[in-house]
Amino acid sequence: MSSHTLRSVVLMVMLACSQALALYAKNTAKVGASNGVPALAVFAAARTSCPAMRPDTVKTPDELAREHSTDADADFDRMAAELASDPDSMVMPVDTARLQHTADSLKAHPATLPANGKGATPKVFVPNPTKALWLSLVCPGAGQIYNRKYWKLPFIYGGFLGCAYALMWNQMMYRDYSQAYLDIMDDNPNTNSYLDMLPPRYDITGREDQFKNIFKRKKNFYRRYRDLSAFCFVGVYLLSVVDAYVDAQLSVFDISPDLSMRVEPAVIGQPALLGSSSGRSAYGVGCSLTF
């Protein structure tokens, strides 16, 4: 310990002792005045009882520092013993009046608290996959609305409208060509609806068999695309259901921000050992994906 540090410690000790003596003398003077004892006699008795103020006591700085350390250790041991015997003695008393005032202020102003009770942190919407599935089954597109993916609605409803239009068009053409085929196949001259499928004043005399095959092929063509349009309509419906369910499932999927691809030289095969020619290896370029 340097002399400067020791001198500082001694001055702090003497200052603390002087302050304690002044406070003790003040309190003793008050007690003496209340009991009819002169303040000077009380201060003289206090000065005589304080070992640091006795005129015949002269101590070195080392002795003062040692006494201060001993007193601090004794105070620490006393506090530890009190805490061990009564742990509740170190607990601060609860200010019930202040707590009641805080509770009353919160009841009087409930709008100042956040709605979610977690501060300013916004609540993240997590869709339920089962609910999204059933909504899409009942009403196509409702699952996408529930998942808050509104940009998918034009594709879904556009697919439904396109498939419905193709279904109705092919059904109408199939019905017309079917009736024309039936009329051209019978021998009744009054059933000539097949003429509506031909250009005006078009004569097919002598070529009835050729047009019979044409009407048959057209009938089968439109029937095939009518059925295909129906399958596409069902496909769009199932696609909307699967999309709503998968989108709700992947809403909590953890995607790492480390999405990278590395291209670096690589050794393919087992390299030959030192002094051996049996190893087979080749040098090339390796590609690794991190996701």
Side-chain angles (χ1 to χ4, degrees):
M1 182 181 296
S2 62
S3 60
H4 180 70
T5 305
L6 183 61
R7 190 179 299 109
S8 300
V9 172
V10 172
L11 291 177
M12 291 176 62
V13 172
M14 294 179 65
L15 181 61
C17 186
S18 301
Q19 293 178 354
L21 177 62
L23 182 61
Y24 178 74
K26 183 178 179 181
N27 294 334
T28 308
K30 291 181 179 180
V31 174
S34 60
N35 295 332
V37 181
L40 184 61
V42 174
F43 179 76
R47 188 174 183 274
T48 307
S49 60
C50 181
M53 299 297 298
R54 292 177 183 176
D56 56 347
T57 303
V58 179
K59 296 183 180 180
T60 62
D62 294 337
E63 293 177 353
L64 291 174
R66 194 179 302 109
E67 287 184 0
H68 178 71
S69 177
T70 305
D71 295 340
D73 295 339
D75 293 339
F76 180 77
D77 295 339
R78 178 177 54 78
M79 292 176 61
E82 292 179 356
L83 181 61
S85 60
D86 188 8
D88 297 334
S89 61
M90 300 298 291
V91 179
M92 296 294 294
V94 180
D95 192 353
T96 56
R98 185 176 181 180
L99 292 178
Q100 184 65 30
H101 176 70
T102 304
D104 295 340
S105 63
L106 292 178
K107 292 179 181 179
H109 304 283
T112 58
L113 291 177
N116 52 11
K118 296 182 179 179
T121 304
K123 185 178 180 180
V124 179
F125 173 72
V126 179
N128 186 4
T130 305
K131 187 175 182 180
L133 175 65
W134 283 106
L135 286 174
S136 295
L137 288 173
V138 174
C139 179
Q144 283 72 23
I145 297 176
Y146 171 71
N147 293 335
R148 301 181 182 179
K149 298 300 177 62
Y150 308 106
W151 61 271
K152 297 181 180 180
L153 295 178
F155 297 97
I156 295 175
Y157 291 118
F160 280 121
L161 290 177
C163 292
Y165 177 79
L167 180 63
M168 292 186 296
W169 168 262
N170 288 292
Q171 174 63 21
M172 182 183 65
M173 298 301 294
Y174 168 74
R175 185 177 62 249
D176 293 343
Y177 276 101
S178 296
Q179 186 63 38
Y181 179 72
L182 292 176
D183 292 346
I184 201 173
M185 289 297 294
D186 60 14
D187 296 332
N188 188 359
N190 295 325
T191 56
N192 56 359
S193 63
Y194 60 90
L195 296 178
D196 297 335
M197 312 300 297
L198 300 175
R201 295 185 298 274
Y202 190 82
D203 188 12
I204 62 170
T205 304
R207 294 182 295 173
E208 288 82 359
D209 294 337
Q210 178 184 357
F211 278 91
K212 288 178 182 180
N213 294 328
I214 291 174
F215 288 149
K216 183 179 180 181
R217 288 197 305 268
K218 288 290 186 178
K219 176 178 70 71
N220 294 333
F221 174 83
Y222 286 110
R223 182 180 62 183
R224 178 173 178 269
Y225 278 94
R226 180 202 62 181
D227 299 340
L228 184 61
S229 300
F231 282 115
C232 290
F233 190 91
V234 176
V236 173
Y237 171 76
L238 295 177
L239 182 62
S240 66
V241 173
V242 173
D243 174 76
Y245 179 77
V246 174
D247 193 8
Q249 283 281 6
L250 297 181
S251 61
V252 294
F253 185 75
D254 185 14
I255 301 177
S256 174
D258 186 11
L259 302 176
S260 60
M261 181 181 69
R262 298 181 57 187
V263 179
E264 56 187 1
V267 179
I268 304 174
Q270 186 175 2
L273 298 177
L274 183 62
S276 175
S277 60
S278 60
R280 295 181 179 179
S281 61
Y283 300 94
V285 178
C287 179
S288 60
L289 297 175
T290 303
F291 57 91

